[in-house]
Each structure stands twice: as C-alpha cells, then as structure tokens.
Amino acid sequence: MLSIAVQPIAAPRNAALALDDAGLRNALEAQHVESYGWALSCCRRRRDEAENVLQLVYLKVLSGKAVFDGRSSFKTWLFAVIRKTAAQEYRMEILRRLRLSRIPKAIDAKPPSDQHGVEIRLKEALAKLPARQREVLQLVFYHDLSIVEAAKVMGVGIGSARTHYERGKKQMRRRLT
C-alpha cells in the first residue's frame, strides 16, 4: 500500500479552491481508511485487488490524471475515482482471464469461512443485493455520505440513488428478519 507521510494541514474551506501538492497529499491521507474500505467494496472484498486499485487511484491523483475540480466534496470525488478505477481494473481482469482461458488451468478458490453470527448474516444479505442497492447502502451507512453524494460517486441521478437506497433497505430488512 502507498504510504503518504506529510504534515497535516487544514483542508480548504472552499471546495472550489485548488489543492496544492501538500494539501492533496493531506486530503488523501485523511481519507485513506475510508477509501480502503470503499475500494474493498468495489473489489468484491478482495484485499489484493483493493490495494492495487487504491495504489492506482493515488497515482492518478498525484500525477494529475485525476483532478479535483471542487464541484463536490473531496471525499465524494475521491470515492468516484476509486469506483471508476475498480470498474476499469475489473474489465481488464475479465479480458486477461478470457485470454488465459485458452490455457487449461486448475483454479482453486476457497471462500473464507472464518466469520460467524450476525456479521456473516449481514454480509450475506448485503452480497445478495443488486450491485446498485449494495453500493448506495454501503456509501450511506459505512462511509457516512448523503444520498446526494452517493449518487455522485455512483454516477447516477439522485432519484435513482434514492430508489436503490429504499429498495435495498427493504430487502435487507426482509432478509434479516
């Protein structure tokens, strides 16, 4: 994982203000834990993929390929960059697998079995939700984003995000009771 070691400074009050290199590094560092959690979600809970995606996101941001323009909060913008990068990497992985499928290979994939109780029921119920419902619930409940911010991260309209949010809550309630 990428380690960013800089002196903390206050984030700009006006989101439209451009972040200098130190401000950008501090903003990334402040969001690192939540960014990693969101990257895990976008990468189907695969740690190695999430770490790779986060590295790519940091490289994009620090090299200037992804530029914060101030139209949303930094966190909302960063989560959108993470989501798009994870989707891009997933597409690339599918292409790699298709190319390798011509070569016979035994793939041994064992699901983790070290979780118990309520946590496993919650994760199973969340995993059974359609992708959009799962994303909006995770953004709102785990990452403290509003539905408006979640809609921006997901790249959908606010009405669509609200619909997925309500349907997701209803399905979770049904599955957990």
Side-chain angles (χ1 to χ4, degrees), residues 38-39 41-42 72-85 87 132 135-136 138-140 143-158 161:
W38 177 237
S41 175
C42 293
S72 63
S73 72
F74 183 80
K75 180 178 179 179
T76 301
W77 170 81
L78 181 61
F79 276 29
V81 174
I82 292 168
R83 182 177 183 272
K84 288 178 183 177
T85 303
R132 295 277 170 113
E135 283 181 15
V136 73
Q138 180 148 14
L139 287 168
V140 171
H143 298 289
D144 295 324
L145 294 180
S146 68
I147 296 176
V148 173
E149 291 172 323
K152 287 180 184 177
V153 168
M154 295 169 61
V156 299
I158 182 66

PDB file of all heavy atoms in Angstrom, residues 38-39 41-42 72-85 87 132 135-136 138-140 143-158 161:
ATOM      1  N   TRP A  38     -13.919   1.515   0.953  1.00  0.00           N
ATOM      2  CA  TRP A  38     -14.718   1.641  -0.263  1.00  0.00           C
ATOM      3  C   TRP A  38     -14.070   0.845  -1.401  1.00  0.00           C
ATOM      4  O   TRP A  38     -14.765   0.193  -2.182  1.00  0.00           O
ATOM      5  CB  TRP A  38     -14.886   3.111  -0.637  1.00  0.00           C
ATOM      6  CG  TRP A  38     -15.635   3.312  -1.917  1.00  0.00           C
ATOM      7  CD1 TRP A  38     -15.203   3.974  -3.016  1.00  0.00           C
ATOM      8  CD2 TRP A  38     -16.961   2.866  -2.232  1.00  0.00           C
ATOM      9  NE1 TRP A  38     -16.157   3.961  -3.998  1.00  0.00           N
ATOM     10  CE2 TRP A  38     -17.257   3.279  -3.545  1.00  0.00           C
ATOM     11  CE3 TRP A  38     -17.920   2.135  -1.536  1.00  0.00           C
ATOM     12  CZ2 TRP A  38     -18.465   3.000  -4.169  1.00  0.00           C
ATOM     13  CZ3 TRP A  38     -19.131   1.856  -2.171  1.00  0.00           C
ATOM     14  CH2 TRP A  38     -19.390   2.292  -3.462  1.00  0.00           C
ATOM     15  N   ALA A  39     -12.750   0.863  -1.483  1.00  0.00           N
ATOM     16  CA  ALA A  39     -12.053   0.086  -2.513  1.00  0.00           C
ATOM     17  C   ALA A  39     -12.323  -1.411  -2.302  1.00  0.00           C
ATOM     18  O   ALA A  39     -12.546  -2.146  -3.276  1.00  0.00           O
ATOM     19  CB  ALA A  39     -10.553   0.379  -2.486  1.00  0.00           C
ATOM     20  N   SER A  41     -14.978  -2.721  -1.058  1.00  0.00           N
ATOM     21  CA  SER A  41     -16.340  -2.952  -1.519  1.00  0.00           C
ATOM     22  C   SER A  41     -16.406  -3.002  -3.043  1.00  0.00           C
ATOM     23  O   SER A  41     -17.073  -3.846  -3.624  1.00  0.00           O
ATOM     24  CB  SER A  41     -17.260  -1.849  -1.003  1.00  0.00           C
ATOM     25  OG  SER A  41     -18.545  -1.999  -1.546  1.00  0.00           O
ATOM     26  N   CYS A  42     -15.718  -2.096  -3.689  1.00  0.00           N
ATOM     27  CA  CYS A  42     -15.717  -2.044  -5.151  1.00  0.00           C
ATOM     28  C   CYS A  42     -14.987  -3.232  -5.768  1.00  0.00           C
ATOM     29  O   CYS A  42     -15.201  -3.555  -6.935  1.00  0.00           O
ATOM     30  CB  CYS A  42     -15.073  -0.746  -5.631  1.00  0.00           C
ATOM     31  SG  CYS A  42     -16.021   0.730  -5.224  1.00  0.00           S
ATOM     32  N   SER A  72     -17.767  18.971  -6.020  1.00  0.00           N
ATOM     33  CA  SER A  72     -18.341  18.181  -4.929  1.00  0.00           C
ATOM     34  C   SER A  72     -17.322  18.176  -3.801  1.00  0.00           C
ATOM     35  O   SER A  72     -16.267  18.792  -3.913  1.00  0.00           O
ATOM     36  CB  SER A  72     -18.625  16.749  -5.412  1.00  0.00           C
ATOM     37  OG  SER A  72     -17.418  16.119  -5.788  1.00  0.00           O
ATOM     38  N   SER A  73     -17.638  17.462  -2.741  1.00  0.00           N
ATOM     39  CA  SER A  73     -16.644  17.373  -1.665  1.00  0.00           C
ATOM     40  C   SER A  73     -15.491  16.498  -2.140  1.00  0.00           C
ATOM     41  O   SER A  73     -15.640  15.686  -3.064  1.00  0.00           O
ATOM     42  CB  SER A  73     -17.277  16.771  -0.407  1.00  0.00           C
ATOM     43  OG  SER A  73     -17.510  15.393  -0.579  1.00  0.00           O
ATOM     44  N   PHE A  74     -14.343  16.638  -1.511  1.00  0.00           N
ATOM     45  CA  PHE A  74     -13.171  15.853  -1.892  1.00  0.00           C
ATOM     46  C   PHE A  74     -13.459  14.364  -1.736  1.00  0.00           C
ATOM     47  O   PHE A  74     -13.107  13.558  -2.596  1.00  0.00           O
ATOM     48  CB  PHE A  74     -11.955  16.255  -1.049  1.00  0.00           C
ATOM     49  CG  PHE A  74     -10.703  15.525  -1.443  1.00  0.00           C
ATOM     50  CD1 PHE A  74      -9.971  15.929  -2.548  1.00  0.00           C
ATOM     51  CD2 PHE A  74     -10.281  14.413  -0.728  1.00  0.00           C
ATOM     52  CE1 PHE A  74      -8.823  15.245  -2.937  1.00  0.00           C
ATOM     53  CE2 PHE A  74      -9.139  13.723  -1.104  1.00  0.00           C
ATOM     54  CZ  PHE A  74      -8.403  14.141  -2.205  1.00  0.00           C
ATOM     55  N   LYS A  75     -14.127  14.002  -0.655  1.00  0.00           N
ATOM     56  CA  LYS A  75     -14.426  12.598  -0.381  1.00  0.00           C
ATOM     57  C   LYS A  75     -15.317  12.011  -1.475  1.00  0.00           C
ATOM     58  O   LYS A  75     -15.060  10.910  -1.972  1.00  0.00           O
ATOM     59  CB  LYS A  75     -15.111  12.473   0.983  1.00  0.00           C
ATOM     60  CG  LYS A  75     -15.471  11.069   1.387  1.00  0.00           C
ATOM     61  CD  LYS A  75     -16.096  11.095   2.769  1.00  0.00           C
ATOM     62  CE  LYS A  75     -16.514   9.729   3.237  1.00  0.00           C
ATOM     63  NZ  LYS A  75     -17.087   9.768   4.591  1.00  0.00           N
ATOM     64  N   THR A  76     -16.346  12.742  -1.868  1.00  0.00           N
ATOM     65  CA  THR A  76     -17.250  12.276  -2.910  1.00  0.00           C
ATOM     66  C   THR A  76     -16.490  12.074  -4.219  1.00  0.00           C
ATOM     67  O   THR A  76     -16.635  11.060  -4.897  1.00  0.00           O
ATOM     68  CB  THR A  76     -18.401  13.287  -3.114  1.00  0.00           C
ATOM     69  OG1 THR A  76     -19.108  13.425  -1.877  1.00  0.00           O
ATOM     70  CG2 THR A  76     -19.351  12.838  -4.198  1.00  0.00           C
ATOM     71  N   TRP A  77     -15.661  13.032  -4.576  1.00  0.00           N
ATOM     72  CA  TRP A  77     -14.864  12.951  -5.798  1.00  0.00           C
ATOM     73  C   TRP A  77     -13.910  11.757  -5.733  1.00  0.00           C
ATOM     74  O   TRP A  77     -13.811  10.979  -6.682  1.00  0.00           O
ATOM     75  CB  TRP A  77     -14.095  14.261  -5.998  1.00  0.00           C
ATOM     76  CG  TRP A  77     -13.079  14.189  -7.078  1.00  0.00           C
ATOM     77  CD1 TRP A  77     -13.296  14.316  -8.417  1.00  0.00           C
ATOM     78  CD2 TRP A  77     -11.669  13.962  -6.918  1.00  0.00           C
ATOM     79  NE1 TRP A  77     -12.111  14.173  -9.105  1.00  0.00           N
ATOM     80  CE2 TRP A  77     -11.100  13.958  -8.213  1.00  0.00           C
ATOM     81  CE3 TRP A  77     -10.845  13.769  -5.822  1.00  0.00           C
ATOM     82  CZ2 TRP A  77      -9.739  13.770  -8.415  1.00  0.00           C
ATOM     83  CZ3 TRP A  77      -9.499  13.578  -6.033  1.00  0.00           C
ATOM     84  CH2 TRP A  77      -8.957  13.586  -7.315  1.00  0.00           C
ATOM     85  N   LEU A  78     -13.222  11.594  -4.606  1.00  0.00           N
ATOM     86  CA  LEU A  78     -12.261  10.507  -4.446  1.00  0.00           C
ATOM     87  C   LEU A  78     -12.948   9.148  -4.556  1.00  0.00           C
ATOM     88  O   LEU A  78     -12.447   8.238  -5.219  1.00  0.00           O
ATOM     89  CB  LEU A  78     -11.524  10.632  -3.107  1.00  0.00           C
ATOM     90  CG  LEU A  78     -10.467   9.568  -2.808  1.00  0.00           C
ATOM     91  CD1 LEU A  78      -9.355   9.602  -3.862  1.00  0.00           C
ATOM     92  CD2 LEU A  78      -9.890   9.793  -1.413  1.00  0.00           C
ATOM     93  N   PHE A  79     -14.114   9.006  -3.925  1.00  0.00           N
ATOM     94  CA  PHE A  79     -14.836   7.738  -3.989  1.00  0.00           C
ATOM     95  C   PHE A  79     -15.271   7.434  -5.420  1.00  0.00           C
ATOM     96  O   PHE A  79     -15.290   6.276  -5.834  1.00  0.00           O
ATOM     97  CB  PHE A  79     -16.039   7.762  -3.048  1.00  0.00           C
ATOM     98  CG  PHE A  79     -15.702   7.416  -1.617  1.00  0.00           C
ATOM     99  CD1 PHE A  79     -14.454   7.675  -1.083  1.00  0.00           C
ATOM    100  CD2 PHE A  79     -16.645   6.831  -0.801  1.00  0.00           C
ATOM    101  CE1 PHE A  79     -14.149   7.362   0.236  1.00  0.00           C
ATOM    102  CE2 PHE A  79     -16.359   6.503   0.514  1.00  0.00           C
ATOM    103  CZ  PHE A  79     -15.108   6.763   1.025  1.00  0.00           C
ATOM    104  N   ALA A  80     -15.622   8.448  -6.183  1.00  0.00           N
ATOM    105  CA  ALA A  80     -15.988   8.240  -7.589  1.00  0.00           C
ATOM    106  C   ALA A  80     -14.771   7.773  -8.390  1.00  0.00           C
ATOM    107  O   ALA A  80     -14.880   6.878  -9.236  1.00  0.00           O
ATOM    108  CB  ALA A  80     -16.570   9.518  -8.188  1.00  0.00           C
ATOM    109  N   VAL A  81     -13.614   8.355  -8.116  1.00  0.00           N
ATOM    110  CA  VAL A  81     -12.385   7.936  -8.804  1.00  0.00           C
ATOM    111  C   VAL A  81     -12.075   6.481  -8.441  1.00  0.00           C
ATOM    112  O   VAL A  81     -11.705   5.680  -9.313  1.00  0.00           O
ATOM    113  CB  VAL A  81     -11.190   8.861  -8.450  1.00  0.00           C
ATOM    114  CG1 VAL A  81      -9.890   8.327  -9.041  1.00  0.00           C
ATOM    115  CG2 VAL A  81     -11.449  10.280  -8.928  1.00  0.00           C
ATOM    116  N   ILE A  82     -12.242   6.118  -7.189  1.00  0.00           N
ATOM    117  CA  ILE A  82     -11.995   4.737  -6.752  1.00  0.00           C
ATOM    118  C   ILE A  82     -12.943   3.787  -7.466  1.00  0.00           C
ATOM    119  O   ILE A  82     -12.534   2.749  -7.995  1.00  0.00           O
ATOM    120  CB  ILE A  82     -12.135   4.603  -5.219  1.00  0.00           C
ATOM    121  CG1 ILE A  82     -11.011   5.352  -4.516  1.00  0.00           C
ATOM    122  CG2 ILE A  82     -12.167   3.130  -4.791  1.00  0.00           C
ATOM    123  CD1 ILE A  82     -11.204   5.523  -3.019  1.00  0.00           C
ATOM    124  N   ARG A  83     -14.226   4.145  -7.521  1.00  0.00           N
ATOM    125  CA  ARG A  83     -15.224   3.287  -8.158  1.00  0.00           C
ATOM    126  C   ARG A  83     -14.913   3.084  -9.634  1.00  0.00           C
ATOM    127  O   ARG A  83     -14.956   1.977 -10.151  1.00  0.00           O
ATOM    128  CB  ARG A  83     -16.613   3.897  -7.987  1.00  0.00           C
ATOM    129  CG  ARG A  83     -17.722   3.059  -8.574  1.00  0.00           C
ATOM    130  CD  ARG A  83     -19.080   3.715  -8.288  1.00  0.00           C
ATOM    131  NE  ARG A  83     -20.150   2.896  -8.769  1.00  0.00           N
ATOM    132  CZ  ARG A  83     -20.632   2.964 -10.009  1.00  0.00           C
ATOM    133  NH1 ARG A  83     -20.124   3.811 -10.869  1.00  0.00           N
ATOM    134  NH2 ARG A  83     -21.625   2.195 -10.381  1.00  0.00           N
ATOM    135  N   LYS A  84     -14.584   4.163 -10.317  1.00  0.00           N
ATOM    136  CA  LYS A  84     -14.290   4.062 -11.758  1.00  0.00           C
ATOM    137  C   LYS A  84     -13.012   3.264 -12.004  1.00  0.00           C
ATOM    138  O   LYS A  84     -12.941   2.477 -12.944  1.00  0.00           O
ATOM    139  CB  LYS A  84     -14.199   5.453 -12.368  1.00  0.00           C
ATOM    140  CG  LYS A  84     -15.552   6.120 -12.468  1.00  0.00           C
ATOM    141  CD  LYS A  84     -15.454   7.520 -13.021  1.00  0.00           C
ATOM    142  CE  LYS A  84     -16.833   8.170 -13.040  1.00  0.00           C
ATOM    143  NZ  LYS A  84     -16.782   9.544 -13.512  1.00  0.00           N
ATOM    144  N   THR A  85     -12.011   3.452 -11.174  1.00  0.00           N
ATOM    145  CA  THR A  85     -10.757   2.713 -11.326  1.00  0.00           C
ATOM    146  C   THR A  85     -10.979   1.229 -11.060  1.00  0.00           C
ATOM    147  O   THR A  85     -10.449   0.378 -11.783  1.00  0.00           O
ATOM    148  CB  THR A  85      -9.669   3.281 -10.380  1.00  0.00           C
ATOM    149  OG1 THR A  85      -9.494   4.670 -10.669  1.00  0.00           O
ATOM    150  CG2 THR A  85      -8.347   2.555 -10.551  1.00  0.00           C
ATOM    151  N   ALA A  87     -13.759  -0.435 -11.486  1.00  0.00           N
ATOM    152  CA  ALA A  87     -14.504  -0.974 -12.628  1.00  0.00           C
ATOM    153  C   ALA A  87     -13.579  -1.196 -13.819  1.00  0.00           C
ATOM    154  O   ALA A  87     -13.665  -2.213 -14.514  1.00  0.00           O
ATOM    155  CB  ALA A  87     -15.639  -0.030 -13.004  1.00  0.00           C
ATOM    156  N   ARG A 132     -26.215  -1.954  -7.453  1.00  0.00           N
ATOM    157  CA  ARG A 132     -26.510  -0.544  -7.160  1.00  0.00           C
ATOM    158  C   ARG A 132     -27.072  -0.375  -5.753  1.00  0.00           C
ATOM    159  O   ARG A 132     -26.731   0.567  -5.047  1.00  0.00           O
ATOM    160  CB  ARG A 132     -27.501   0.032  -8.179  1.00  0.00           C
ATOM    161  CG  ARG A 132     -26.961   0.098  -9.584  1.00  0.00           C
ATOM    162  CD  ARG A 132     -26.123   1.345  -9.755  1.00  0.00           C
ATOM    163  NE  ARG A 132     -25.396   1.344 -10.997  1.00  0.00           N
ATOM    164  CZ  ARG A 132     -25.617   2.177 -11.990  1.00  0.00           C
ATOM    165  NH1 ARG A 132     -26.549   3.076 -11.897  1.00  0.00           N
ATOM    166  NH2 ARG A 132     -24.890   2.109 -13.080  1.00  0.00           N
ATOM    167  N   GLU A 135     -24.178  -0.820  -3.317  1.00  0.00           N
ATOM    168  CA  GLU A 135     -23.282   0.345  -3.333  1.00  0.00           C
ATOM    169  C   GLU A 135     -23.860   1.513  -2.555  1.00  0.00           C
ATOM    170  O   GLU A 135     -23.172   2.124  -1.740  1.00  0.00           O
ATOM    171  CB  GLU A 135     -23.006   0.785  -4.770  1.00  0.00           C
ATOM    172  CG  GLU A 135     -22.026  -0.070  -5.492  1.00  0.00           C
ATOM    173  CD  GLU A 135     -21.765   0.423  -6.912  1.00  0.00           C
ATOM    174  OE1 GLU A 135     -22.123   1.567  -7.238  1.00  0.00           O
ATOM    175  OE2 GLU A 135     -21.198  -0.349  -7.694  1.00  0.00           O
ATOM    176  N   VAL A 136     -25.117   1.853  -2.814  1.00  0.00           N
ATOM    177  CA  VAL A 136     -25.689   3.026  -2.154  1.00  0.00           C
ATOM    178  C   VAL A 136     -25.802   2.798  -0.650  1.00  0.00           C
ATOM    179  O   VAL A 136     -25.533   3.700   0.149  1.00  0.00           O
ATOM    180  CB  VAL A 136     -27.033   3.463  -2.790  1.00  0.00           C
ATOM    181  CG1 VAL A 136     -28.166   2.518  -2.446  1.00  0.00           C
ATOM    182  CG2 VAL A 136     -27.387   4.885  -2.379  1.00  0.00           C
ATOM    183  N   GLN A 138     -23.881   0.872   1.195  1.00  0.00           N
ATOM    184  CA  GLN A 138     -22.531   0.934   1.766  1.00  0.00           C
ATOM    185  C   GLN A 138     -22.043   2.377   1.870  1.00  0.00           C
ATOM    186  O   GLN A 138     -21.468   2.775   2.878  1.00  0.00           O
ATOM    187  CB  GLN A 138     -21.556   0.116   0.933  1.00  0.00           C
ATOM    188  CG  GLN A 138     -20.168   0.182   1.518  1.00  0.00           C
ATOM    189  CD  GLN A 138     -19.380  -1.062   1.296  1.00  0.00           C
ATOM    190  OE1 GLN A 138     -19.755  -1.881   0.493  1.00  0.00           O
ATOM    191  NE2 GLN A 138     -18.290  -1.205   2.010  1.00  0.00           N
ATOM    192  N   LEU A 139     -22.265   3.160   0.824  1.00  0.00           N
ATOM    193  CA  LEU A 139     -21.811   4.555   0.846  1.00  0.00           C
ATOM    194  C   LEU A 139     -22.506   5.347   1.947  1.00  0.00           C
ATOM    195  O   LEU A 139     -21.880   6.148   2.635  1.00  0.00           O
ATOM    196  CB  LEU A 139     -22.057   5.210  -0.515  1.00  0.00           C
ATOM    197  CG  LEU A 139     -21.112   4.748  -1.623  1.00  0.00           C
ATOM    198  CD1 LEU A 139     -21.620   5.231  -2.979  1.00  0.00           C
ATOM    199  CD2 LEU A 139     -19.704   5.241  -1.371  1.00  0.00           C
ATOM    200  N   VAL A 140     -23.800   5.123   2.113  1.00  0.00           N
ATOM    201  CA  VAL A 140     -24.562   5.892   3.105  1.00  0.00           C
ATOM    202  C   VAL A 140     -24.267   5.410   4.520  1.00  0.00           C
ATOM    203  O   VAL A 140     -23.981   6.215   5.407  1.00  0.00           O
ATOM    204  CB  VAL A 140     -26.078   5.829   2.794  1.00  0.00           C
ATOM    205  CG1 VAL A 140     -26.891   6.418   3.930  1.00  0.00           C
ATOM    206  CG2 VAL A 140     -26.371   6.567   1.486  1.00  0.00           C
ATOM    207  N   HIS A 143     -19.867   4.726   4.958  1.00  0.00           N
ATOM    208  CA  HIS A 143     -18.952   5.816   4.635  1.00  0.00           C
ATOM    209  C   HIS A 143     -19.552   7.198   4.908  1.00  0.00           C
ATOM    210  O   HIS A 143     -18.988   8.208   4.511  1.00  0.00           O
ATOM    211  CB  HIS A 143     -18.498   5.715   3.180  1.00  0.00           C
ATOM    212  CG  HIS A 143     -17.748   4.451   2.911  1.00  0.00           C
ATOM    213  ND1 HIS A 143     -16.471   4.219   3.390  1.00  0.00           N
ATOM    214  CD2 HIS A 143     -18.098   3.328   2.245  1.00  0.00           C
ATOM    215  CE1 HIS A 143     -16.080   3.021   3.018  1.00  0.00           C
ATOM    216  NE2 HIS A 143     -17.044   2.456   2.328  1.00  0.00           N
ATOM    217  N   ASP A 144     -20.700   7.243   5.561  1.00  0.00           N
ATOM    218  CA  ASP A 144     -21.332   8.483   6.011  1.00  0.00           C
ATOM    219  C   ASP A 144     -21.521   9.519   4.895  1.00  0.00           C
ATOM    220  O   ASP A 144     -21.358  10.717   5.126  1.00  0.00           O
ATOM    221  CB  ASP A 144     -20.533   9.124   7.159  1.00  0.00           C
ATOM    222  CG  ASP A 144     -20.534   8.252   8.388  1.00  0.00           C
ATOM    223  OD1 ASP A 144     -21.566   7.609   8.653  1.00  0.00           O
ATOM    224  OD2 ASP A 144     -19.508   8.215   9.084  1.00  0.00           O
ATOM    225  N   LEU A 145     -21.860   9.073   3.715  1.00  0.00           N
ATOM    226  CA  LEU A 145     -22.185  10.005   2.636  1.00  0.00           C
ATOM    227  C   LEU A 145     -23.688  10.193   2.605  1.00  0.00           C
ATOM    228  O   LEU A 145     -24.446   9.308   2.991  1.00  0.00           O
ATOM    229  CB  LEU A 145     -21.721   9.465   1.282  1.00  0.00           C
ATOM    230  CG  LEU A 145     -20.220   9.328   1.049  1.00  0.00           C
ATOM    231  CD1 LEU A 145     -19.950   8.789  -0.349  1.00  0.00           C
ATOM    232  CD2 LEU A 145     -19.508  10.652   1.230  1.00  0.00           C
ATOM    233  N   SER A 146     -24.126  11.338   2.138  1.00  0.00           N
ATOM    234  CA  SER A 146     -25.551  11.554   1.938  1.00  0.00           C
ATOM    235  C   SER A 146     -25.963  10.811   0.666  1.00  0.00           C
ATOM    236  O   SER A 146     -25.115  10.385  -0.121  1.00  0.00           O
ATOM    237  CB  SER A 146     -25.841  13.044   1.783  1.00  0.00           C
ATOM    238  OG  SER A 146     -25.292  13.522   0.565  1.00  0.00           O
ATOM    239  N   ILE A 147     -27.252  10.680   0.441  1.00  0.00           N
ATOM    240  CA  ILE A 147     -27.717  10.018  -0.774  1.00  0.00           C
ATOM    241  C   ILE A 147     -27.301  10.829  -1.999  1.00  0.00           C
ATOM    242  O   ILE A 147     -26.941  10.266  -3.033  1.00  0.00           O
ATOM    243  CB  ILE A 147     -29.240   9.788  -0.728  1.00  0.00           C
ATOM    244  CG1 ILE A 147     -29.576   8.821   0.422  1.00  0.00           C
ATOM    245  CG2 ILE A 147     -29.750   9.228  -2.047  1.00  0.00           C
ATOM    246  CD1 ILE A 147     -31.048   8.586   0.646  1.00  0.00           C
ATOM    247  N   VAL A 148     -27.291  12.153  -1.881  1.00  0.00           N
ATOM    248  CA  VAL A 148     -26.857  13.007  -2.988  1.00  0.00           C
ATOM    249  C   VAL A 148     -25.391  12.730  -3.328  1.00  0.00           C
ATOM    250  O   VAL A 148     -25.023  12.574  -4.495  1.00  0.00           O
ATOM    251  CB  VAL A 148     -27.068  14.502  -2.642  1.00  0.00           C
ATOM    252  CG1 VAL A 148     -26.474  15.405  -3.696  1.00  0.00           C
ATOM    253  CG2 VAL A 148     -28.549  14.799  -2.440  1.00  0.00           C
ATOM    254  N   GLU A 149     -24.541  12.658  -2.305  1.00  0.00           N
ATOM    255  CA  GLU A 149     -23.124  12.377  -2.524  1.00  0.00           C
ATOM    256  C   GLU A 149     -22.926  10.966  -3.073  1.00  0.00           C
ATOM    257  O   GLU A 149     -22.102  10.746  -3.966  1.00  0.00           O
ATOM    258  CB  GLU A 149     -22.338  12.546  -1.232  1.00  0.00           C
ATOM    259  CG  GLU A 149     -22.242  13.983  -0.765  1.00  0.00           C
ATOM    260  CD  GLU A 149     -21.631  14.112   0.620  1.00  0.00           C
ATOM    261  OE1 GLU A 149     -21.896  13.249   1.488  1.00  0.00           O
ATOM    262  OE2 GLU A 149     -20.883  15.088   0.831  1.00  0.00           O
ATOM    263  N   ALA A 150     -23.704  10.008  -2.551  1.00  0.00           N
ATOM    264  CA  ALA A 150     -23.615   8.631  -3.046  1.00  0.00           C
ATOM    265  C   ALA A 150     -23.990   8.574  -4.523  1.00  0.00           C
ATOM    266  O   ALA A 150     -23.356   7.854  -5.301  1.00  0.00           O
ATOM    267  CB  ALA A 150     -24.514   7.710  -2.223  1.00  0.00           C
ATOM    268  N   ALA A 151     -24.999   9.331  -4.905  1.00  0.00           N
ATOM    269  CA  ALA A 151     -25.408   9.366  -6.314  1.00  0.00           C
ATOM    270  C   ALA A 151     -24.269   9.868  -7.190  1.00  0.00           C
ATOM    271  O   ALA A 151     -24.017   9.322  -8.278  1.00  0.00           O
ATOM    272  CB  ALA A 151     -26.644  10.249  -6.479  1.00  0.00           C
ATOM    273  N   LYS A 152     -23.553  10.895  -6.728  1.00  0.00           N
ATOM    274  CA  LYS A 152     -22.419  11.426  -7.497  1.00  0.00           C
ATOM    275  C   LYS A 152     -21.312  10.386  -7.620  1.00  0.00           C
ATOM    276  O   LYS A 152     -20.724  10.212  -8.686  1.00  0.00           O
ATOM    277  CB  LYS A 152     -21.881  12.695  -6.846  1.00  0.00           C
ATOM    278  CG  LYS A 152     -22.783  13.885  -7.024  1.00  0.00           C
ATOM    279  CD  LYS A 152     -22.195  15.116  -6.359  1.00  0.00           C
ATOM    280  CE  LYS A 152     -23.131  16.301  -6.453  1.00  0.00           C
ATOM    281  NZ  LYS A 152     -22.605  17.472  -5.746  1.00  0.00           N
ATOM    282  N   VAL A 153     -21.016   9.681  -6.509  1.00  0.00           N
ATOM    283  CA  VAL A 153     -19.978   8.657  -6.535  1.00  0.00           C
ATOM    284  C   VAL A 153     -20.359   7.549  -7.514  1.00  0.00           C
ATOM    285  O   VAL A 153     -19.535   7.077  -8.289  1.00  0.00           O
ATOM    286  CB  VAL A 153     -19.754   8.054  -5.122  1.00  0.00           C
ATOM    287  CG1 VAL A 153     -18.898   6.809  -5.189  1.00  0.00           C
ATOM    288  CG2 VAL A 153     -19.124   9.088  -4.202  1.00  0.00           C
ATOM    289  N   MET A 154     -21.620   7.142  -7.504  1.00  0.00           N
ATOM    290  CA  MET A 154     -22.089   6.052  -8.342  1.00  0.00           C
ATOM    291  C   MET A 154     -22.308   6.471  -9.789  1.00  0.00           C
ATOM    292  O   MET A 154     -22.438   5.615 -10.667  1.00  0.00           O
ATOM    293  CB  MET A 154     -23.397   5.490  -7.769  1.00  0.00           C
ATOM    294  CG  MET A 154     -23.233   4.837  -6.417  1.00  0.00           C
ATOM    295  SD  MET A 154     -24.810   4.459  -5.627  1.00  0.00           S
ATOM    296  CE  MET A 154     -25.535   3.336  -6.793  1.00  0.00           C
ATOM    297  N   GLY A 155     -22.379   7.765 -10.023  1.00  0.00           N
ATOM    298  CA  GLY A 155     -22.617   8.247 -11.379  1.00  0.00           C
ATOM    299  C   GLY A 155     -24.043   8.062 -11.839  1.00  0.00           C
ATOM    300  O   GLY A 155     -24.302   7.838 -13.021  1.00  0.00           O
ATOM    301  N   VAL A 156     -25.001   8.161 -10.897  1.00  0.00           N
ATOM    302  CA  VAL A 156     -26.423   8.044 -11.230  1.00  0.00           C
ATOM    303  C   VAL A 156     -27.152   9.281 -10.721  1.00  0.00           C
ATOM    304  O   VAL A 156     -26.613  10.048  -9.933  1.00  0.00           O
ATOM    305  CB  VAL A 156     -27.061   6.768 -10.608  1.00  0.00           C
ATOM    306  CG1 VAL A 156     -26.392   5.513 -11.124  1.00  0.00           C
ATOM    307  CG2 VAL A 156     -27.012   6.805  -9.088  1.00  0.00           C
ATOM    308  N   GLY A 157     -28.377   9.453 -11.149  1.00  0.00           N
ATOM    309  CA  GLY A 157     -29.188  10.571 -10.696  1.00  0.00           C
ATOM    310  C   GLY A 157     -29.629  10.373  -9.258  1.00  0.00           C
ATOM    311  O   GLY A 157     -29.676   9.243  -8.752  1.00  0.00           O
ATOM    312  N   ILE A 158     -30.015  11.471  -8.613  1.00  0.00           N
ATOM    313  CA  ILE A 158     -30.437  11.405  -7.212  1.00  0.00           C
ATOM    314  C   ILE A 158     -31.697  10.558  -7.053  1.00  0.00           C
ATOM    315  O   ILE A 158     -31.823   9.797  -6.095  1.00  0.00           O
ATOM    316  CB  ILE A 158     -30.623  12.826  -6.606  1.00  0.00           C
ATOM    317  CG1 ILE A 158     -31.013  12.750  -5.119  1.00  0.00           C
ATOM    318  CG2 ILE A 158     -31.657  13.612  -7.366  1.00  0.00           C
ATOM    319  CD1 ILE A 158     -29.947  12.197  -4.237  1.00  0.00           C
ATOM    320  N   ALA A 161     -30.659   6.944  -7.144  1.00  0.00           N
ATOM    321  CA  ALA A 161     -29.977   6.576  -5.901  1.00  0.00           C
ATOM    322  C   ALA A 161     -30.984   6.393  -4.763  1.00  0.00           C
ATOM    323  O   ALA A 161     -30.881   5.445  -3.982  1.00  0.00           O
ATOM    324  CB  ALA A 161     -28.938   7.634  -5.520  1.00  0.00           C
TER     325      ALA A 161
END
